[in-house]
Amino acid sequence: LVQSHSILRFLSRKHGGFDRITDEAKASIEILADATEDLRKRLMGIKYDSTKDAKQKADAFLQFCTSTAAEWLTKFEEYLQPSEAFSYADFLLFDLWDTHKELCPKEAFAELQKGFPKICALHDAIASDASVSTYLESRRAQ
């Protein structure tokens, strides 16, 4: 298998992530997953833009995090629904939130955190999972 979304969908199906949910719920998961990729592409476009110097990138990240990201994250916040288990889209949103934390100016990210309590709660819940926290610690140690 190639392509991260295909791999995640495969693993989700293999491990029951699509069992006992409606077709509408499946569609919602896929919409959220694909939308995270759309926002990630915009963010990574700034990071890897070779035509901008460090100051221009810093300005672009600030603009992105206070405008574009806030608009998209508002939609994600509205889309999140309580669930018994994490979907693969939840893991993609977790990773996207981490990427924002890494690339957005600290003050801008702090403002995002205030505005998106469901995303923060989802992130904290996933990060506190034993397997995930072990992985995150190993990644930080590198």
Side-chain angles (χ1 to χ4, degrees):
L1 284 175
V2 296
Q3 297 297 328
S4 58
H5 285 230
S6 296
I7 294 167
L8 287 169
R9 277 191 292 273
F10 170 80
L11 291 172
S12 182
R13 286 184 180 100
K14 181 176 180 177
H15 295 285
F18 280 142
D19 293 352
R20 299 180 306 278
I21 62 173
T22 65
D23 288 339
E24 290 79 11
K26 292 173 188 174
S28 292
I29 290 168
E30 291 176 345
I31 289 167
L32 181 59
D34 291 344
T36 63
E37 186 60 24
D38 292 342
L39 184 57
R40 177 184 312 287
K41 285 179 185 176
R42 290 178 179 217
L43 187 56
M44 293 296 102
I46 298 168
K47 181 176 181 176
Y48 295 110
D49 185 346
S50 61
T51 66
K52 289 183 167 69
D53 63 24
K55 169 80 170 94
Q56 291 170 317
K57 284 185 181 184
D59 291 344
F61 280 130
L62 179 60
Q63 172 65 25
F64 178 88
C65 294
T66 58
S67 177
T68 305
E71 290 173 25
W72 281 73
L73 293 169
T74 297
K75 295 172 187 170
F76 295 159
E77 183 81 4
E78 293 168 358
Y79 220 74
L80 286 176
Q81 300 298 321
S83 177
E84 294 177 17
F86 300 124
S87 72
Y88 79 94
D90 293 333
F91 286 99
L92 290 167
L93 186 53
F94 169 87
D95 185 59
L96 180 64
W97 191 247
D98 262 2
T99 303
H100 278 77
K101 183 178 180 181
E102 175 190 340
L103 297 176
C104 289
K106 288 188 190 304
E107 301 80 23
F109 186 73
E111 287 301 312
L112 288 176
Q113 287 178 299
K114 291 178 193 173
F116 302 104
K118 288 183 187 177
I119 296 172
C120 289
L122 173 71
H123 184 274
D124 292 348
I126 291 174
S128 67
D129 178 87
S131 297
V132 174
S133 66
T134 299
Y135 167 74
L136 293 173
E137 287 302 318
S138 71
R139 198 173 76 175
R140 288 182 192 115
Q142 294 177 359

